[in-house]
Amino acid sequence: MYFKNPEQDGVELQERNMDGFDNTMEALLPTLHQQRTYDYVLVADKVEDQEHPKFQKQVAFIDHLRKKNMKVTKIIHDDKTFYGVRAPKEIFDKYRYLLKVSDACNWSGDRKCVRIPHSTRIRVVHYILHHTHINTGENLRELQEKGVFEATFCLHERNKQKVLKQKWARWSALCTSQPVDDVRSYFGEKVALYYLWLGWYTILLVPAAILGVIVFLYALAFFNTSPLIKEVCESDTVMCPRCDKWCQVWQLRDTCAYAKVSHLFDNEGTVAFAMFMAVWATIFLELWKRHKATFVSKWKVFDWCEEEEELILGVVNDPDCHPKEFRHSYLRSTLVLVLVTLMLVLIIGLTQALVVFRVVAAVLLSEGTWEFVRDHANTVAVMLGAVLHYITMQFMTRVNKAVAFKLCEIEKTQSFAATERSFTVKMFTFQFFTLFSSLIYVAFFLGRINGRPGSYVRISGKWRLEECHPSGCLTDLFIQMAVIMLLKQTLNNIFEFTVPWFKSYFRRTTTKKLERKCGHCYKNACREEEKMGRDPCDICKLRDWLRNYDLNDVNFFSLFNEFLEMVVQFSFTTIFVAAFPLAPLLALINNIFEIRLDAIKMVSLERRLVPKKTNDIGIWTKVLEAIGVLAVIANGLVIGVSSDFIPRLVYRYHYGPCANGEADVHCMKGYINDTLSIAHITDLSVRKDFFPSQLITESGFNVTQCSYKDYRNDVDYSLTSQFWLIMAVRFAFVVLFEHVVVIFKCIAAWFVPDSPMLVKNDRLKDKLCRLKEELQEMKYRQSTDV
């Protein structure tokens, strides 16, 4: 064990070998009296050979930090080398002065602080570390990739960490409000705004969830009295086989239960609920902007500009630095556009593969030995397809992330903030197509391109495409959404919490050994040193570093992944909500637990995130606005095209008993039979699609005709005039629905100002006070000069 304290350029470099702990207490020398705050810790593998390239690069990087007057403490423990980094006061004096003279950051709270917050210290040192290059031109990230340094992290502050655990990061605080100001003080504005947004989103889900439950209960109330369900359950209609070879003709009444489920999610109430959710998305965003404005004004970051802070940090790090100029290359932009298109084609191709899987699975299941699976082959195939879709999503998420990151490297953006925006847009686009391509197929193509008896559309001329149930296709969309939402939210939360917990649990052994070695020293002497603002002993110092080192690693993607998860959930909650009115309720339940899960993980199970200062959730606001527009389009198409709302409306007022003047008869009587067409087995084209064994009923009778869902003439199978009327009304409804909802959205956006008047007035007073302060400073300088 050894200790040396060379003074070079006014920089302290302490080096202690902590391999053995039996005689540590006797051998340690007193530490110097100094400020005890460490801004960052670097960890590297211990290298004995001083000629080794890794050792030389470690020394070179530390030397470059010393030239910037950074104080470094080195402690060797077992096979690891720890470097504690502390920035001098003059760095933060420069930072505060440049904030004062900047254009957009000059009213930040950091400019007027007597003592620089530790979160700001971490942010500044983080920038300097990652923009320090050794003689070979390599920076810290590249050195990490080459194994020169294993890890870099900032330290948790134990007192503040304990406060956050008591107030926020615990399951018993599930229904309490979030201490957003404390989160902001510890993790920075970026993390605080995420939790502020998530909390606000969760609160506004309450009315949406309540209305969704009311719509569901409305359908449940008329469950047994619906004439449509009654017509299906009492029908004697013989339906054509749903698959090749093994499927036989079947009775429409066999699907009574399926018709009841379809009614729960395809009724008049879902139309009003879809309109409400489209307007709700806009109101949520406008109220969020107001809510956010209140906090960013209080935090003095209303006009904050991330790009300008990067310039300030660049000058602090190197006064002779040059700005990274804006550049645009049509060649790079074209290349990125082509690669994005190819990626989307690949994702859509995977969706087509899922469609083929469902078709083949339905055929194979219908030929199986299990009677229940054979009788419900299509439904089981839909559920298996949803599970496979979830597995594909998990795999493609990793692929999408890697591709989006590479595309950002090709673009060569001007700043980290610009890179973050570009990455977010690309990643969300890829994820959106990955998640929703299958749902788009189910919503708008399933059962509409499969043909008819005698002219079925087949994959490779062999497998028939799927058909919709006579009660409608919306139930297939509901099953797909329900399986994906439940699997995605439940499994993601389980893995998101248990994996970091187990990793953290199995890494605690070393830290506990150090606590036992320190014994009395840690509990008394070191605590007194801390109160006096001095360094604790090396064992306690190392113990703190190891405690943070043993936590799970964090990076830029840590907060991004949380945002992406919630924005994807927001997409499920608004897009296609007409098919699943209970989506807001599931989202609400999930978010109540998600807030505490993320808080516990961030405070207790992960290393501290680098605090970032910002005044908004960034490009995510634009993404949410785009989702709101897509929600209007998608729900209009789901109601107008996918559901049976329009065919029912046309039948009620044009073809039904009430339209023909019949009294004492329900207006929807005969609707199910009206939606069915008849295929004659005597037709050669129809007969070649079925085996003779498929045309025998369970009672042993050979059928001469069977029914299928479509509007076709029974003689030449041409589309009827009713089909074209319904088609025209569908498109008219979609156009009307979208225009009406967009008008309501525009009115809501206009009616709700982005910033409350109180915030605007406070900012006005702040600006006036600043001008007066500047005037007073000018007068003081003039009087001093005189």
Side-chain angles (χ1 to χ4, degrees):
M1 184 184 102
Y2 60 92
F3 167 78
K4 60 182 178 181
N5 184 27
E7 294 289 341
Q8 299 179 7
D9 301 326
V11 178
E12 170 199 353
L13 178 62
Q14 302 174 14
E15 183 172 344
R16 304 177 180 92
N17 190 321
M18 306 297 290
D19 289 335
F21 287 97
D22 294 334
N23 302 315
T24 300
M25 293 306 301
E26 293 79 12
L28 284 175
L29 296 178
T31 58
L32 294 177
H33 291 183
Q34 56 195 7
Q35 183 187 354
R36 55 173 294 274
T37 303
Y38 285 91
D39 303 313
Y40 234 84
V41 174
L42 310 180
V43 184
D45 290 327
K46 180 182 175 182
V47 182
E48 299 288 353
D49 184 7
Q50 296 188 4
E51 299 300 324
H52 196 282
K54 284 188 178 181
F55 180 85
Q56 294 179 348
K57 289 183 178 182
Q58 286 179 24
V59 172
F61 189 80
I62 297 302
D63 285 343
H64 276 76
L65 292 181
R66 290 166 50 199
K67 291 176 182 178
K68 296 180 179 181
N69 290 331
M70 305 289 277
K71 294 180 171 60
V72 180
T73 298
K74 177 179 177 181
I75 300 179
I76 300 176
H77 166 62
D78 291 341
D79 60 342
K80 301 294 179 184
T81 303
F82 291 80
Y83 298 94
V85 180
R86 181 186 300 131
K89 180 177 179 294
E90 54 265 26
I91 285 181
F92 304 105
D93 291 340
K94 292 178 186 177
Y95 176 74
R96 285 199 293 189
Y97 175 77
L98 292 174
L99 284 182
K100 180 180 178 181
V101 298
S102 68
D103 293 328
C105 303
N106 52 23
W107 204 243
S108 165
D110 289 349
R111 185 182 71 86
K112 304 175 70 176
C113 287
V114 177
R115 180 175 177 271
I116 289 290
H118 192 54
S119 58
T120 301
R121 294 181 62 93
I122 292 172
R123 186 170 66 256
V124 174
V125 174
H126 172 81
Y127 183 91
I128 294 174
L129 288 176
H130 285 79
H131 289 78
T132 297
H133 297 76
I134 61 177
N135 296 333
T136 59
E138 295 167 303
N139 59 19
L140 183 58
R141 180 179 63 83
E142 292 168 332
L143 293 175
Q144 280 187 266
E145 290 175 353
K146 295 179 180 179
V148 177
F149 291 100
E150 179 196 340
T152 64
F153 53 88
C154 48
L155 297 172
H156 280 289
E157 299 171 72
R158 298 203 66 190
N159 292 334
K160 290 185 178 181
Q161 192 181 24
K162 185 177 180 180
V163 170
L164 286 176
K165 287 180 181 179
Q166 291 174 344
K167 286 185 177 181
W168 180 53
R170 55 190 176 90
W171 291 113
S172 56
L174 206 62
C175 298
T176 59
S177 60
Q178 299 188 83
V180 181
D181 289 330
D182 292 335
V183 176
R184 174 249 177 181
S185 175
Y186 192 73
F187 286 112
E189 283 80 359
K190 196 164 193 172
V191 173
L193 283 173
Y194 163 71
Y195 284 104
L196 187 67
W197 175 83
L198 181 55
W200 187 249
Y201 169 45
T202 303
I203 290 172
L204 286 206
L205 274 175
V206 173
I210 292 174
L211 189 58
V213 172
I214 291 174
V215 170
F216 180 77
L217 293 177
Y218 164 79
L220 203 61
F222 298 96
F223 194 71
N224 294 319
T225 59
S226 171
L228 304 181
I229 296 176
K230 185 177 180 181
E231 187 175 351
V232 171
C233 296
E234 297 178 357
S235 175
D236 291 325
T237 303
V238 176
M239 304 296 293
C240 295
R242 285 174 288 189
C243 65
D244 296 328
K245 296 182 181 179
W246 297 98
C247 295
Q248 292 181 294
V249 291
W250 51 285
Q251 297 287 338
L252 181 60
R253 62 171 174 264
D254 295 341
T255 59
C256 179
Y258 196 100
K260 292 178 179 179
V261 173
S262 296
H263 181 71
L264 292 177
F265 302 100
D266 188 2
N267 56 73
E268 296 80 1
T270 57
V271 179
F273 184 63
M275 294 184 68
F276 167 81
M277 287 303 296
V279 177
W280 173 89
T282 299
I283 294 176
F284 158 70
L285 284 175
E286 296 303 319
L287 291 178
W288 155 246
K289 292 174 185 176
R290 287 174 60 85
H291 189 58
K292 175 210 66 176
T294 302
F295 281 86
V296 297
S297 177
K298 181 172 70 173
W299 297 338
K300 303 297 183 184
V301 291
F302 198 96
D303 298 317
W304 185 264
C305 177
E306 293 181 64
E307 281 89 350
E308 188 156 339
E309 191 201 21
E310 282 194 51
L311 289 176
I312 292 172
L313 292 172
V315 175
V316 170
N317 178 50
D318 181 10
D320 298 324
C321 70
H322 298 283
K324 188 176 180 181
E325 297 180 351
F326 291 96
R327 291 178 295 177
H328 180 267
S329 169
Y330 288 103
L331 178 61
R332 282 199 301 270
S333 299
T334 303
L335 179 60
V336 169
L337 184 60
V338 170
L339 292 175
V340 168
T341 304
L342 290 176
M343 188 66 185
L344 295 180
V345 170
L346 173 63
I347 293 172
I348 294 172
L350 288 176
T351 303
Q352 301 307 313
L354 288 174
V355 172
V356 173
F357 168 80
R358 286 172 46 145
V359 171
V360 175
V363 173
L364 296 178
L365 290 171
S366 65
E367 298 174 358
T369 56
W370 294 349
E371 182 179 353
F372 176 81
V373 174
R374 189 170 62 246
D375 294 340
H376 302 83
N378 285 340
T379 304
V380 175
V382 169
M383 298 185 71
L384 287 176
V387 173
L388 183 61
H389 186 203
Y390 172 77
I391 296 172
T392 306
M393 281 164 29
Q394 298 302 107
F395 171 75
M396 284 304 297
T397 297
R398 291 167 173 77
V399 176
N400 293 341
K401 186 178 294 184
V403 173
F405 190 74
K406 288 296 181 183
L407 291 175
C408 290
E409 289 182 351
I410 294 174
E411 282 184 320
K412 296 183 179 179
T413 48
Q414 187 267 342
S415 64
F416 176 78
T419 303
E420 188 177 10
R421 288 194 297 269
S422 178
F423 176 83
T424 300
V425 171
K426 292 178 178 61
M427 183 64 184
F428 177 78
T429 303
F430 294 155
Q431 284 296 92
F432 181 85
F433 275 84
T434 301
L435 294 170
F436 285 93
S437 293
S438 180
L439 295 177
I440 290 172
Y441 168 77
V442 173
F444 305 126
F445 297 99
L446 177 62
R448 291 172 176 80
I449 57 174
N450 59 304
R452 61 169 180 83
S455 183
Y456 282 121
V457 176
R458 298 177 182 273
I459 297 175
S460 301
K462 186 175 181 181
W463 297 295
R464 271 171 55 183
L465 289 180
E466 304 164 276
E467 295 183 21
C468 279
H469 188 271
S471 299
C473 291
L474 215 58
T475 303
D476 293 319
L477 182 59
F478 151 70
I479 292 173
Q480 190 94 344
M481 284 190 65
V483 171
I484 291 174
M485 277 198 76
L486 288 172
L487 275 178
K488 183 174 176 57
Q489 293 187 162
T490 305
L491 294 182
N492 277 13
N493 285 345
I494 291 173
F495 285 113
E496 191 177 331
F497 181 77
T498 55
V499 172
W501 187 88
F502 277 113
K503 285 183 179 179
S504 178
Y505 177 80
F506 288 115
R507 287 175 176 174
R508 293 175 188 169
T509 309
T510 305
T511 309
K512 289 184 177 179
K513 287 180 181 177
L514 284 174
E515 184 175 352
R516 290 194 294 269
K517 290 289 181 182
C518 187
H520 176 77
C521 170
Y522 177 78
K523 294 182 179 179
N524 296 300
C526 287
R527 192 166 296 178
E528 292 300 322
E529 292 289 307
E530 289 182 15
K531 290 180 181 179
M532 297 174 65
R534 300 167 182 167
D535 271 354
C537 77
D538 287 349
I539 296 179
C540 294
K541 191 188 303 175
L542 180 61
R543 178 180 179 269
D544 188 33
W545 294 358
L546 279 172
R547 186 189 301 111
N548 285 268
Y549 172 70
D550 288 343
L551 296 174
N552 294 279
D553 192 18
V554 294
N555 51 37
F556 156 72
F557 295 113
S558 299
L559 187 61
F560 172 84
N561 290 338
E562 304 300 339
F563 253 122
L564 181 63
E565 181 185 353
M566 288 298 100
V567 172
V568 166
Q569 186 208 77
F570 180 81
S571 304
F572 275 105
T573 307
T574 52
I575 301 175
F576 299 136
V577 72
F580 193 25
L582 296 180
L585 177 63
L586 294 181
L588 174 63
I589 296 172
N590 174 80
N591 288 4
I592 291 174
F593 291 94
E594 180 77 26
I595 292 174
R596 303 304 160 183
L597 187 151
D598 288 346
I600 294 171
K601 185 177 65 174
M602 201 171 286
V603 173
S604 304
L605 302 178
E606 292 180 340
R607 295 172 186 165
R608 185 175 182 177
L609 280 168
V610 176
K612 296 287 186 179
K613 191 178 286 290
T614 186
N615 63 352
D616 198 1
I617 58 175
I619 195 65
W620 290 114
T621 301
K622 299 296 182 183
V623 172
L624 292 169
E625 290 174 351
I627 292 172
V629 174
L630 289 174
V632 176
I633 298 171
N635 283 299
L637 289 172
V638 167
I639 296 170
V641 177
S642 304
S643 76
D644 281 351
F645 173 73
I646 298 301
R648 291 171 188 168
L649 206 63
V650 171
Y651 182 80
R652 177 187 288 270
Y653 294 107
H654 198 273
Y655 294 100
C658 295
N660 296 324
E662 297 183 27
D664 300 329
V665 179
H666 196 283
C667 293
M668 296 304 296
K669 183 178 181 181
Y671 168 75
I672 298 296
N673 283 333
D674 184 69
T675 61
L676 301 178
S677 298
I678 296 175
H680 298 281
I681 307 302
T682 55
D683 191 313
L684 292 177
S685 61
V686 175
R687 192 186 307 167
K688 71 178 183 180
D689 272 338
F690 306 116
F691 288 99
S693 58
Q694 292 183 267
L695 303 175
I696 301 176
T697 64
E698 292 182 352
S699 56
F701 292 101
N702 286 319
V703 298
T704 58
Q705 64 182 34
C706 59
S707 298
Y708 60 98
K709 186 175 175 63
D710 208 344
Y711 294 96
R712 291 185 178 272
N713 190 290
D714 295 344
V715 179
D716 58 1
Y717 302 110
S718 61
L719 295 170
T720 64
S721 59
Q722 185 175 356
F723 170 85
W724 296 110
L725 176 61
I726 291 173
M727 182 67 69
V729 177
R730 283 185 191 274
F731 283 109
F733 171 83
V734 170
V735 172
L736 181 63
F737 175 88
E738 292 180 358
H739 279 71
V740 169
V741 174
V742 166
I743 289 173
F744 274 111
K745 284 170 67 70
C746 293
I747 292 174
W750 166 80
F751 188 77
V752 182
D754 289 351
S755 297
M757 293 300 107
L758 180 62
V759 170
K760 291 184 177 181
N761 291 330
D762 286 344
R763 291 190 64 238
L764 190 64
K765 293 176 183 177
D766 283 345
K767 289 180 180 180
L768 181 61
C769 290
R770 185 187 171 211
L771 292 174
K772 290 180 179 180
E773 287 179 7
E774 293 291 337
L775 184 61
Q776 291 296 327
E777 288 184 13
M778 184 194 71
K779 289 180 179 179
Y780 176 76
R781 287 195 300 269
Q782 288 176 345
S783 63
T784 305
D785 293 340
V786 172

